[in-house]
Amino acid sequence: MMGSAVSHPQLMAVYWKHHILPRRDLAAAMLRRAQQDGTVAADADLDVLIDMMAGAVTWRVLQPDPPDAAGMLDYLKSVYRQIGLYRS
């Protein structure tokens, strides 16, 4: 899908509206709750945090040898820990 953004912008627009935005909205709600709980800084830019999380996951799964489910869970915990969402 990402590769079609240039050649098929309407397809990407539909994908963005129906797939990406609902997931970003859920992530933003989670981060707002974390801000209210004091685990994420009150002045944190939630869009940047969402971009960081999505980028980290996208990068990890595009590797030649992506992690299995357990490895991805460990990686996600590490990502979440970096922004204050997870404590071991």
Side-chain angles (χ1 to χ4, degrees):
M1 288 304 291
M2 290 184 280
S4 69
V6 174
S7 59
H8 297 89
Q10 291 175 328
L11 176 61
M12 190 62 195
V14 170
Y15 181 70
W16 184 268
K17 179 180 178 182
H18 295 285
H19 183 78
I20 295 174
L21 279 182
R23 285 156 180 80
R24 286 185 71 91
D25 290 344
L26 289 171
M30 175 188 68
L31 291 169
R32 280 192 297 275
R33 282 192 310 270
Q35 282 179 317
Q36 293 168 356
D37 294 343
T39 57
V40 169
D43 63 345
D45 185 326
L46 301 186
D47 285 323
V48 170
L49 292 179
I50 293 167
D51 291 347
M52 290 168 52
M53 291 186 300
V57 169
T58 301
W59 177 256
R60 186 59 62 160
V61 299
L62 291 176
Q63 298 300 307
D65 187 22
D68 59 12
M72 186 54 95
L73 181 59
D74 288 342
Y75 182 70
L76 286 172
K77 287 177 183 178
S78 179
V79 170
Y80 291 167
R81 189 177 301 109
Q82 300 307 309
I83 61 173
L85 290 175
Y86 180 80
R87 294 186 179 108
S88 41

